[in-house]
Amino acid sequence: MSSKPLRASDLLSFTGSEHWYRHPLWPSITYTDDAHYVAGAGGAYWLLDAIVSHQHDPCVRAEPFQVWILKVADDRSAVLTCEDGDHNCITSQVISFTDFPLPEITLWLQNDVIFLPSEY
């Protein structure tokens, strides 16, 4: 885990990746340096796990481009939603509590790689 907390301003500088990290739950899925940073600095490896665990759903897995949006409410509950890139909801998950430090984050999954939109 990173020693400094995740801030929204940190995400503005991410534009690419030199490394890809293999996810242990689904080894064909990898994630970029920047997604790794978000997970570490945000204490959110669980977020990567949640995205990967939804790949067992045939409706989700059939979607070649996935937009994953985590929205954190004031009461620290959250909703993780997967969209198809055209704002059509494929699936969603209610999270009863999270300490994720940002009110919202979007991650994309394409070609078995999880990454930030700024890396595209």
Side-chain angles (χ1 to χ4, degrees):
M1 185 156 136
S2 174
S3 60
K4 70 178 197 174
L6 180 66
R7 299 171 309 186
S9 60
D10 296 339
L11 305 181
L12 300 175
S13 64
F14 294 145
T15 58
S17 191
E18 294 183 11
H19 303 96
W20 284 264
Y21 301 85
R22 197 158 303 284
H23 196 281
L25 298 177
W26 195 304
S28 67
I29 294 180
T30 59
Y31 51 96
T32 63
D33 285 331
D34 302 339
H36 179 74
Y37 177 82
V38 167
Y45 283 100
W46 61 266
L47 178 56
L48 299 177
D49 292 347
I51 292 169
V52 169
S53 70
H54 281 282
Q55 301 309 305
H56 291 284
D57 179 339
C59 293
V60 173
R61 190 70 181 150
E63 195 57 50
F65 178 71
Q66 301 169 18
V67 177
W68 289 90
I69 304 164
L70 177 70
K71 291 185 179 182
V72 179
D74 291 337
D75 69 356
R76 306 309 304 163
S77 66
V79 176
L80 178 62
T81 304
C82 177
E83 297 179 353
D84 65 0
D86 290 322
H87 304 287
N88 297 309
C89 182
I90 300 168
T91 192
S92 65
Q93 176 182 351
V94 174
I95 299 165
S96 59
F97 176 81
T98 181
D99 58 358
F100 190 72
L102 302 178
E104 184 174 327
I105 191 160
T106 299
L107 294 166
W108 289 354
L109 188 149
Q110 183 177 30
N111 298 326
D112 284 343
V113 178
I114 300 170
F115 57 99
L116 295 176
S118 61
E119 296 181 90
Y120 191 73

